[in-house]
Amino acid sequence: MAAPVFKEFMNDDEAVKAVDELKTKVDEDNIYILTHDDDHTKRVANRADANTVGASETGITTSVKNVFRKKGDELRAKFEELGFSETEANNLESELDKGAVIVVVKDAPAGISL
């Protein structure tokens, strides 16, 4: 499995544009949107026609645990499920705290960048 590729955006429109461009290069089933707020994540994902990290990605055990976790712990778990290390997940969750929208390509083919 290839390492995930990601990029942070501070603007929803830029994130949506990046997803549109990615769809010409990668399977859209591998494109995910993460933000610090579930409603914000859903809005951006719907606009971009991209995925959110749900039970099918995390598995039922992690999904149930996320119900009881603090938001930061839940987001770090989601990043780890997408293939990021614990350290990377911590760093990315910190960026979400600052209002970033993060676009992730899971199982990105070699040479793909955002």
Side-chain angles (χ1 to χ4, degrees), residues 1 12-13 16 19 21 26 29 34 36-37 42 45 47 59-60 62 69 72 85-87 92 96 103 109-111 114:
M1 179 185 317
D12 293 358
D13 293 334
V16 170
V19 169
E21 291 173 8
V26 300
D29 289 342
L34 288 102
H36 203 277
D37 173 80
K42 288 175 188 170
R47 282 184 57 205
I60 193 69
T62 300
R69 287 180 169 146
S85 70
E86 184 177 342
T87 301
L92 290 168
L96 293 180
V103 175
L114 289 162

Side-chain angles (χ1 to χ4, degrees), residues 23-84:
K23 287 180 183 178
T24 65
K25 304 173 193 171
V26 300
D27 183 347
E28 65 184 55
D29 289 342
N30 291 342
I31 303 172
Y32 294 85
I33 302 285
L34 288 102
T35 73
H36 203 277
D37 173 80
D38 290 340
D39 289 334
H40 187 201
T41 300
K42 288 175 188 170
R43 284 193 311 272
V44 177
N46 285 338
R47 282 184 57 205
D49 194 23
N51 301 299
T52 60
V53 180
S56 61
E57 289 76 28
T58 62
I60 193 69
T61 304
T62 300
S63 188
V64 169
K65 287 179 182 177
N66 281 345
V67 170
F68 300 101
R69 287 180 169 146
K70 292 181 180 174
K71 189 63 179 179
D73 294 337
E74 175 187 339
L75 291 167
R76 285 187 288 279
K78 287 181 177 183
F79 280 119
E80 288 178 31
E81 292 293 337
L82 290 174
F84 292 97

